[in-house]
């Protein structure tokens, strides 16, 4: 007599499958709802992403007027739309930002206003004309020492309209050359002074006068004009 294995009823199989599904779901719910371990006291919170400060000029956004790189360091001249506020940003963003005092003196700054020279003391000169005819101008220095930039804050005035940087003393540090009228009794800016001969007066980076050139008929007569190039042999006592 042949025999065969008894078949499990279909309803019993469905019941078993349903029970398995319910069990898996319950285990997942327990895993998801389990209490998370508290963070140990004193543990540091995740660091927030740094926020780069926005440089403003005169209460509004700055615009880039000129840029140079000196000794591998980027230097950017920034102004507001009216040019009444100006700053210099030194180094990669956010860098170090210096506010320029000459912006309050009515100077006009453009793409030619920034001049930088590398060396033992990397230096930048920001210069701009004043007046309708550009016969006079102001300049301001930024100087690096030991990798730290500073702004001496002393504006230089050239009533003959020319300011420049050049290593006059050949010591590896640039000097400031200011071209002015030798008025001898007349006030700068007057008609009498404007027709007087001119000379170049040289300052070191501390603002100390190193000497003056002889007198010339016009600024363009000085060697290298408008970026004047002098040597120590060109200097004598200032009148």
């Amino acid at each position: 007599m042949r025999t065969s294995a008894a078949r499990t009823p279909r309803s019993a199989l469905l019941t078993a499958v349903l029970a398995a599904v319910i069990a898996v779901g319950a285990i997942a719910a327990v895993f998801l709802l389990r209490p998370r371990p508290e963070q140990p006291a004193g543990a540091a919170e995740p660091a927030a992403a740094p926020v780069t400060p926005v440089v403003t000029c005169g209460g509004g956004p700055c615009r880039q007027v000129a840029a140079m790189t000196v000794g591998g360091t980027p230097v950017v001249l920034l102004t507001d739309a009216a040019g009444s506020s100006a700053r210099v940003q030194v180094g990669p963003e956010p860098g170090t930002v210096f506010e320029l005092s000459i912006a309050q003196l009515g100077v006009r700054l453009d793409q030619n206003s920034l001049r930088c020279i590398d060396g033992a003391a990397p230096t930048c000169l920001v210069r701009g004309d004043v007046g309708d005819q550009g016969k006079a101008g102001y300049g301001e220095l930024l100087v690096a020492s030991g990798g730290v930039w500073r702004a001496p804050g002393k504006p230089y005035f050239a009533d003959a309209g020319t300011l420049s940087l050049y290593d006059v003393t050949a010591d590896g540090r640039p000097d400031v050359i200011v071209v002015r009228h030798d008025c001898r009794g007349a006030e700068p800016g007057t008609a009498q002074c404007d027709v007087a001969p001119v000379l170049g007066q040289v300052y070191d980076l501390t603002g100390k006068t190193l000497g003056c050139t002889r007198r010339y008929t016009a600024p363009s007569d000085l060697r290298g004009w408008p970026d004047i190039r002098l040597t120590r042999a060109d200097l004598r006592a200032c009148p």
Side-chain angles (χ1 to χ4, degrees), residues 28-63:
V30 170
F31 178 80
L32 293 175
L33 295 175
R34 78 189 191 284
R36 297 183 179 180
E38 294 184 0
Q39 188 175 11
E45 293 288 339
V51 178
T52 301
V54 177
V55 180
T56 59
C57 299
C62 295
R63 62 186 182 95

Side-chain angles (χ1 to χ4, degrees), residues 8-24:
T8 303
R10 181 175 300 175
S11 59
L13 290 174
L14 293 175
T15 300
V17 171
L18 181 60
V21 171
I22 293 174
V24 171

Side-chain angles (χ1 to χ4, degrees), residues 55 57 62-68 74-80 85-90 98-100 102-103 107-116 125-128 140 142:
V55 180
C57 299
C62 295
R63 62 186 182 95
Q64 179 175 312
V65 175
M68 295 190 71
V75 180
V76 181
L77 174 60
L78 306 165
T79 71
D80 64 354
S85 174
R87 299 189 176 194
V88 174
Q89 179 177 292
V90 180
F98 298 90
E99 187 163 3
L100 299 176
I102 61 173
V107 301
R108 294 187 300 276
L109 301 174
D110 57 28
Q111 67 274 12
N112 299 314
S113 293
L114 180 63
R115 168 75 165 148
C116 298
L125 171 68
V126 181
R127 56 192 180 183
E140 192 167 348
L142 295 171

Side-chain angles (χ1 to χ4, degrees), residues 5 22 38 50-51 53 58-60 62 93 97-98 120-121 147-148 179 186 194 204 208 212 221 230-231 238:
I22 293 174
E38 294 184 0
V51 178
C62 295
E93 290 188 0
V97 179
F98 298 90
V148 178
V179 180
D194 286 346
D204 66 13
K208 177 184 177 182
C212 292
D221 293 334
L230 303 176
T231 66
C238 292

